[in-house]
Structures are given as structure tokens and as C-alpha cells.
Amino acid sequence: MRLLTIDSVNPAILKVQYAVRGELAIKAEEHRAKLTKDDHGLPFKRIINSNIGNPQQKGLDQPPITWTRQVCALMEWPALMDLAPQAFPKDVIARAKELQEDIGSIGAYSHSQGVPLIRKSVANFIEERDGYPSNPDHIFLTAGASTGVSLLISMLITPPKSGILIPIPQYPLYTATLAQHSGIAIPYHLDEASEWSTSLHEIEGALAKSYEDGIEPKALVIINPGNPTGALLDENTQEELVKLCEKHSLVLLADEVYQNNLHKPDSHPFTSFKKIVRRMNSPIPVFSFHSISKGVQGECGRRGGYFECTNIPDSILALIYKMASVGICPPLTGQIGVDCMVRPPKPGEESYPLWKKETDTIHETLALRTKIMAERLNKLPGVSCVPSPGALYLYPKLDLPESAIEAASKAGKSPDTFYALQLLDETGICVVPGEGFGKKDGHNYYRLTCLCPGVEEYVGALEQFHVNFMKKYGRV
């Protein structure tokens, strides 16, 4: 009898690494289990999950948007409209009735590409944002943006010698998905000294090396705003990137899930690549991703997102539809969340004042936390942190003592993983070491979210740990 063993599974799966839910997150859950016991012996009372952008996670304080939850509640149980008609604003009831008319029961499958009415809503949102037409038939609703990214990378990769350009540092989804489909990551480094800007010269160098190594570059990934850096691209750089894609016949994968997380919108605005491509009348193929998990929605568990296809031929659209249909359809609850995101209440409607208050509060709170945390981290010895104008994170750099680097080596860990593990063991704060995002040799970082409440307690614990760590390894 042949048993199932590690040696008998697809070898590509063994190469998949996803640091956001890797060693640190697993150990954090082990500590969380210990904390349920009276004699846990840990020097902290709770785990602070600063490792992932999960705004509504227990222990964080970003509340759900009332508008979204009310519409979703009526879609889950339409009888509530009659049982408690005074409990819901009139515009919520109207939206639920409109969606119900098109969808029916959310317990049934939808169109594999997503509910037609909701795809039209997404198209209208994109047209209003960019000033250029959007075709609902070129929009695919997905179970979060990650599902769309994985689908398209699986279609673009032709093993064994094709690859995709990814920024370093990057969101580990890209390297994990490439490993899963036997693709090759072609790294290009962002410029930390220039607010983590994207360098055309760096990308050209990465392309030249890939050609030398016999690797065919298929696509360029741009994360804007950046993850983990929060950096935003200016329009001149975006135009140059489009020209580069034209020159090298690259597909552009535009990860824009943080487009509504802007802390300095006046000086660091967001512009979509769809708008840039249409303005330039460029023929490059573009896939643009968005999600309800980020922004002010924070509906990670609902699993809703979409991607728009720009300059994609009908033959490829048919293939994408075929692959999407294998999964039958994205979750209806996620699709409804997308509709609530792209079609919020308008001024003059009953739900608008509360929606405006809730969303403004989320923006203001996140921007203030990000500012305070960056300022205080930058005051620590051996820490430098580029202030983040967007997204949900900070990405401080660590200048660690040589004795700490040697101790990490003896422990079989990278220096930033060694640091992050001790941070978790001593404070209960779970971060993601820079090793998981990619980095230059000799550099060390960690990513932490700016979602945690109680900034004084949270940052105070980070500060105290860091000072003690530096003293322990010989630097005050």
C-alpha cells in the first residue's frame, strides 16, 4: 500500500512560502492557546496581531460600516424588511430590494463572472473614478483580490522558464503563487532612500538579467499604494512604467487594493493604471485588482473583490471566464460587499450622514496612528522608518548589533526573524519579519500594521522591547 507522504505531493507546493501567516503567526496562535490557562507563564496578557491587515479582527477596533452590514443583513434574511421595517433606513431597504430582484436568494449560485447588476455598479464606479468608460463584461468579481491574482498568474506562467517582475519588498502572495505554478519571481528593488519609489532603471536591470538567464518575463506587478511600504506612485512614473511594458511586451498587474487608504491625499493622491493607460491610448494589457478587505470596508472574512480587464482580447477573456467557471461563482456575500463599497450612500440619502461619519473616522484614526508610530519608531536607536502615505502598514528598518546577528545565525534564523520571534515571546506583539517580503543582503526589517488600538500601550511595548534588545546584544 502506498501512503500519502511529503515525497508524493506536487513538489511545487513544497516551495510555497507565505510569511504573513508563517512561523510568527503560528507561534502567536500557540501563545494564544497558552493564555487561556491560569498558569500560562507568559509575560503578557494578550496577543496583538500586527502581522496582517485584518481590520475587524478581535482585539482591533475598526468597526464594520453600518451601511454594508444593514444591506447584507436584509439580503441574508429578506423577511426583516417586513418584520422590522423601522430598523432600517429607506435607502438600505431600497438597495436590498434592488439586489434581491436581480439575485434572488444568496444561497443560489450566481453568474460565474459575478452578478451582472453588481458588475455594472463596479463599471460605473470605475468610470466615475477615472473618467473613461468601463465594460461590465470585462469585470470579474472574485473571492477577494487574491483569488484573481492567483488565477491570472496561473494563466500567464508557462513553465519552466517564464517569470513575473515583482517589487522588493513585496506582498508574499506573489512569490507564493509563482512557486505554486512553477513560475519564476524576477525581483526589482524599490528605492528606500526615495520613499520606496519605483525605479525604471532597477526594472530594466532586472529585465536584462532575466534575458541573460533565459527567463521570459511575462508581466510586471505594481502594488499601488505599496504593501508593505505604503508608497504611492506619481503619474509621471506610471506613464514611464506603461512605456516600459510596451517596450518589453509585458502584461501589467496593477494591485490597487489600498486605493482608499490614503493618509496624505493632497500630496500623495492615487491614480489608477487604467486611467493612465487610457489617457496615453496605450495598447498594453492591464489587469487591475480591488478588494473589500481593505480601505474603510475591512470586510476581510466576507471575501469580495474584483479585477478589471483592459486591452484584453476576447479570446483571452473567454479563457478567463472558463477558468472562473471552474469555481462556479464567487461568494454572494462578498459580491454584495463589493456593491456596497462601489455604490455607497449619496449626499441627501438617509444613510449618508452615518456612512460619512464612520468612514471619515476610520481615515482620520489610521492616518494619525501611522504618523505617531512612524515618529516614535524613528526616535529609537538603530531604527529608521519611512513615513507611509498609504495602505495599513509601516516597514521599519533595523540596524542590529553584530552580536545579535551572530546569535541569529547560531539559531538558524535571519536577523529580523530572530528579532521578531523575541518580540513576540516578550510582548505578545506579532509582526512579519522582512525576510518574508524580500530584501537586500544585510538589510533587516519588519512589517507591522497601524490598526492596533491603544497606540501608547502598543508602541510603548515596541519601544521598551527594542531598547532592551539592543542593550542585551551590546548596544545602548
Side-chain angles (χ1 to χ4, degrees):
M1 178 180 176
R2 180 180 294 176
L3 298 175
L4 181 63
T5 67
I6 291 294
D7 294 332
S8 64
V9 302
N10 181 345
I13 301 299
L14 304 180
K15 298 177 182 178
V16 173
Q17 299 289 332
Y18 188 64
V20 173
R21 296 227 172 182
E23 179 182 8
L24 269 292
I26 292 170
K27 191 171 188 182
E29 289 308 309
E30 292 172 355
H31 284 340
R32 194 191 306 278
K34 287 182 182 178
L35 287 170
T36 62
K37 302 175 182 177
D38 293 335
D39 58 345
H40 56 73
L42 295 171
F44 48 83
K45 297 180 180 179
R46 64 189 180 103
I47 295 296
I48 299 176
N49 288 102
S50 192
N51 60 306
I52 190 166
N54 189 15
Q56 294 183 36
Q57 184 171 6
K58 185 178 180 180
L60 306 183
D61 69 347
Q62 181 168 317
I65 300 299
T66 302
W67 159 259
T68 300
R69 289 303 179 91
Q70 287 180 328
V71 172
C72 290
L74 293 182
M75 290 302 296
E76 286 282 351
W77 196 21
L80 279 173
M81 293 184 225
D82 298 321
L83 293 172
Q86 304 305 315
F88 297 91
K90 293 181 177 60
D91 53 348
V92 168
I93 293 173
R95 176 65 59 83
K97 286 182 176 179
E98 181 187 13
L99 288 168
Q100 189 181 18
E101 179 69 24
D102 199 71
I103 295 170
S105 170
I106 65 168
Y109 292 134
S110 76
H111 189 287
S112 293
Q113 202 168 332
V115 174
L117 173 65
I118 298 177
R119 284 189 281 120
K120 289 178 182 177
S121 296
V122 173
N124 290 336
F125 163 78
I126 293 170
E127 287 184 12
E128 291 175 8
R129 183 194 66 191
D130 296 340
Y132 292 93
S134 177
N135 186 341
D137 292 334
H138 295 173
I139 291 166
F140 288 76
L141 302 183
T142 55
S146 299
T147 300
V149 169
S150 298
L151 168 63
L152 293 167
I153 287 180
S154 74
M155 293 180 63
L156 289 168
I157 289 299
T158 52
K161 298 290 282 184
S162 66
I164 291 178
L165 288 144
I166 60 170
I168 299 296
Q170 54 98 28
Y171 178 47
L173 165 70
Y174 293 96
T175 46
T177 306
L178 282 166
Q180 180 182 353
H181 297 290
S182 300
I184 299 169
I186 306 171
Y188 66 91
H189 289 273
L190 304 178
D191 185 1
E192 183 178 7
S194 183
E195 297 185 335
W196 292 111
S197 63
T198 300
S199 165
L200 275 293
H201 176 75
E202 179 72 26
I203 298 176
E204 288 283 11
L207 283 164
K209 187 177 186 306
S210 72
Y211 295 138
E212 290 174 6
D213 294 341
I215 300 168
E216 179 188 8
K218 291 291 196 75
L220 170 67
V221 171
I222 299 289
I223 308 175
N224 184 42
N227 178 6
T229 67
L232 278 127
L233 295 174
D234 61 76
E235 293 189 8
N236 288 337
T237 300
Q238 289 180 276
E239 290 174 359
E240 292 303 313
L241 289 167
V242 169
K243 293 175 185 176
L244 180 142
C245 289
E246 291 176 351
K247 176 182 176 182
H248 294 278
S249 299
L250 297 172
V251 174
L252 179 58
L253 301 177
D255 183 335
E256 298 174 340
V257 302
Y258 296 99
Q259 63 186 264
N260 198 28
N261 289 121
L262 306 177
H263 312 321
K264 304 175 183 178
D266 294 335
S267 60
H268 293 76
F270 167 79
T271 303
S272 75
F273 267 102
K274 159 74 176 292
K275 181 175 181 178
I276 297 294
V277 166
R278 285 290 184 245
R279 189 169 69 197
M280 295 174 66
N281 197 29
S282 172
I284 69 163
V286 182
F287 295 102
S288 306
F289 305 92
H290 199 9
S291 169
I292 65 172
S293 297
K294 313 305 177 186
V296 294
Q297 295 289 108
E299 294 281 354
C300 300
R302 200 170 289 277
R303 307 313 298 138
Y306 71 81
F307 63 87
E308 182 189 26
C309 308
T310 302
N311 295 331
I312 307 300
D314 289 343
S315 58
I316 300 300
L317 289 170
L319 288 176
I320 296 171
Y321 177 78
K322 178 177 72 173
M323 295 306 297
S325 67
V326 172
I328 308 297
C329 73
L332 268 296
T333 54
Q335 294 188 54
I336 293 163
V338 169
D339 187 82
C340 291
M341 176 181 72
V342 300
R343 213 168 32 133
K346 296 178 180 179
E349 294 180 343
E350 189 175 353
S351 295
Y352 180 78
L354 179 58
W355 175 86
K356 185 73 165 58
K357 179 182 178 181
E358 290 176 342
T359 55
D360 283 351
T361 298
I362 291 171
H363 284 303
E364 291 164 5
T365 300
L366 188 57
L368 181 59
R369 282 181 187 160
T370 303
K371 180 177 181 291
I372 291 172
M373 289 172 63
E375 289 174 351
R376 289 179 60 169
L377 287 169
N378 274 317
K379 292 178 181 178
L380 291 172
V383 177
S384 59
C385 183
V386 176
S388 172
L392 305 176
Y393 318 100
L394 288 171
Y395 195 59
K397 183 179 181 180
L398 299 170
D399 178 14
L400 299 176
E402 190 60 37
S403 59
I405 294 171
E406 291 173 0
S409 179
K410 290 178 182 178
K413 304 293 182 183
S414 69
D416 46 22
T417 298
F418 183 73
Y419 178 97
L421 284 166
Q422 290 197 35
L423 174 66
L424 174 61
D425 289 341
E426 295 183 25
T427 68
I429 298 173
C430 182
V431 299
V432 187
E435 180 183 29
F437 299 98
K439 58 184 182 177
K440 293 181 179 178
D441 290 341
H443 289 209
N444 294 293
Y445 304 86
Y446 66 90
R447 188 193 78 170
L448 73 167
T449 73
C450 302
L451 294 166
C452 299
V455 170
E456 186 61 41
E457 175 190 358
Y458 174 44
V459 180
L462 287 170
E463 291 169 332
Q464 188 59 57
F465 166 80
H466 181 79
V467 170
N468 292 341
F469 183 93
M470 299 297 272
K471 286 181 179 178
K472 179 179 179 180
Y473 291 100
R475 190 188 300 172
V476 178

